[in-house]
Amino acid sequence: MRRSIATVCLSGTLEEKLEAIASARFDAVEIFENDFINYHGTAADVRRLCHDLGLGIDLYQPFRDFEGASDAQFRRNLDRVERKFDIMEALGAPQLLVCSSCAPDAIADDARSAAQLYELAERAARRNITIGFEALAWSRHIRHYQHAWKIVKEANHPHLGILLDSFHILSLGDDPAAIADIPGDKIAFLQLADAPYKVMDVLQWSRHFRCFPGQGNFDLVTFLEKVLLAGYTGPLSLEVFNDHFRAAPARPTAIDAYRSLLYLEEAVESRLAAPGDEVLLKQAREAAAARVELFSPPRIPALDGLAFIEFAVDTESERALAQVLGALGFRRAGEHRSKAVTLYRQGDIDIILNAEPGSFARSHFMQHGPSICALGIATEDSLRALNRATAFGCPRFEGRIGPNELKIPAIRAPDGSLIYFVPSLKARSGCSRSTSCSRTRPQARPRPPTSRRSTTSRRACRSCARMPGPCSIVPSSAASPVKAWTSSIPTA
């Protein structure tokens, strides 16, 4: 489906917002009026900029306090909306969001509101513009989507539809089930936002605490399912007012927003494909799935926990961290054959200290000081995990591969660190001496007895299992310090 986002979601100037939205791979935008007012150019300039960035303009918003007006105010509202239409024509925006009136003198008369919206739609039709009427959760009279739909249905104009906003519906505790009964072609537009549950003024809740899908407590999967069951095939658009997002850099926020839509689409796609006992519901889900294309990445493989944690250190911080690890019961279990990398272990926990000059770990250390620069996640299918991550827009990491090191799939995490996907099948099966372990011992060290050698073999294979691939290990002991350890992970 077409993915869109309102410019109000992001920080920065309008140009910065549009560039961030395009870089995050959105298809289109909603132009928020305040962003346009503060823009230094014309509507035609914004249209050209969006075109150059490969973005469509799906909607212009908002137009406030229109319906339920006195006759004199209604005439002034019609003059006011014509100026909006002028801007929209220059922008190339096909739809105007009209939210239910908050004016203190708004008249509670559904017939009047329907007639006024009909006249608005008539004027919009002359410009080939569609009106999306939205029920604001804090409006004067029309707060619920069922009420807004009743008025839209009474107005009965082809250029007028209902605009559904998940926050306005779910914040009031409205049941979205009735959405499925609205004809899909009368749902003019869809805006999505999540939010944490809060007991506070709904206007302040909306203006400051909305968040992207999956970050709050709303059941957006059921909400979007009902919209698709109704037959809606238009854009999925994010409208999120959040103080933190508007203070954060625009590009990472836009990427996070895009991933949230993918997350929601995948969840709804799974819901539509789920078997059901009710025949009619199953048929409706199949029809909805056939109408729209939802994001369907590789499924999540089984994850078996952390294979290792890697710290970026220098010589001084390595000594200090080694002392802390020793106090916590970790022992030094091995050293990389050719790099300044040391393995510490306690039970099934492996911690790597990477002080290699010129490596990714060193650059991470220069930026953050002693810190975690990489995690290894054990999984039954590392390639599927990698492909799923890249489908969500996570960049792959291609590091240097040294001698006797395997190429382990890795991505960059949002904070810039690395995540390796370590095959857990090898971790379960271990390694055989003839195929993946080539242990060496110090030349001066006498050959241990058979029982000691078998213990050494088991320990070495255990390390190989955790870090699959060729290795060279001698276990630490009071009589025999660690001599060499080659990890299959290409420590950067």
Side-chain angles (χ1 to χ4, degrees), residues 150-214:
K150 173 179 177 292
I151 293 172
V152 168
K153 185 164 58 172
E154 184 177 340
N156 190 26
H157 195 288
H159 280 254
L160 174 66
I162 185 170
L163 189 148
L164 299 174
D165 182 311
S166 61
F167 181 87
H168 293 305
I169 293 171
L170 300 178
S171 64
L172 296 180
D174 287 353
D175 186 352
I179 293 174
D181 299 326
I182 300 174
D185 61 351
K186 295 304 291 183
I187 301 176
F189 203 76
L190 177 66
Q191 292 179 324
L192 296 165
D194 207 340
Y197 287 134
K198 289 187 175 292
V199 180
M200 62 182 299
D201 175 72
V202 68
L203 172 60
Q204 298 306 314
W205 185 13
S206 175
R207 285 291 176 260
H208 302 284
F209 296 101
R210 291 194 188 203
C211 52
F212 297 129

Side-chain angles (χ1 to χ4, degrees), residues 65-78 101 103 105-108 112 116:
D65 300 334
F66 178 80
E67 91 294 341
S70 65
D71 292 344
Q73 183 60 50
F74 177 58
R75 288 191 294 272
R76 289 191 290 270
N77 287 346
L78 290 176
S101 180
D105 58 350
I107 301 168
R112 171 182 286 268
Q116 291 178 348

Side-chain angles (χ1 to χ4, degrees), residues 213-214 218-226 228 236 259-274 285 294-300 388 392:
F218 288 167
D219 185 2
L220 291 184
V221 175
T222 297
F223 176 83
L224 181 54
E225 178 197 12
K226 299 306 180 186
L228 297 181
L236 304 181
R259 287 177 182 153
S260 76
L261 271 184
L262 299 183
Y263 156 82
L264 179 59
E265 286 186 37
E266 182 192 16
V268 174
E269 190 268 343
S270 298
R271 175 76 64 84
L272 295 178
R285 284 176 170 174
L294 297 172
F295 179 64
S296 182
R299 297 303 184 193
I300 302 174
R388 177 178 173 83
F392 275 94

Side-chain angles (χ1 to χ4, degrees), residues 357-371:
S359 65
F360 169 82
R362 178 51 57 91
S363 66
H364 196 276
F365 176 85
M366 296 299 291
Q367 294 182 59
H368 305 286
S371 55

Side-chain angles (χ1 to χ4, degrees), residues 15 70 72 79 82 111 125 152-153 160 172 193 207 224 229 261 270 279 292 316 367-368 381 400 402 415 445 451:
E15 298 101 316
S70 65
D79 291 338
E82 290 290 351
V152 168
K153 185 164 58 172
L160 174 66
L172 296 180
R207 285 291 176 260
L224 181 54
L229 291 178
L261 271 184
S270 298
V279 176
V292 297
E316 181 180 352
Q367 294 182 59
H368 305 286
D381 192 333
R400 295 178 301 173
D415 67 351
R445 183 182 176 185
S451 59

Side-chain angles (χ1 to χ4, degrees), residues 313-340:
V313 294
D314 63 358
T315 303
E316 181 180 352
S317 58
E318 180 182 16
R319 287 195 298 267
L321 187 52
Q323 290 178 355
V324 173
L325 291 174
L328 293 173
F330 285 81
R331 64 180 180 84
R332 193 172 72 164
E335 293 178 352
H336 197 283
R337 182 189 299 274
S338 60
K339 297 180 180 179

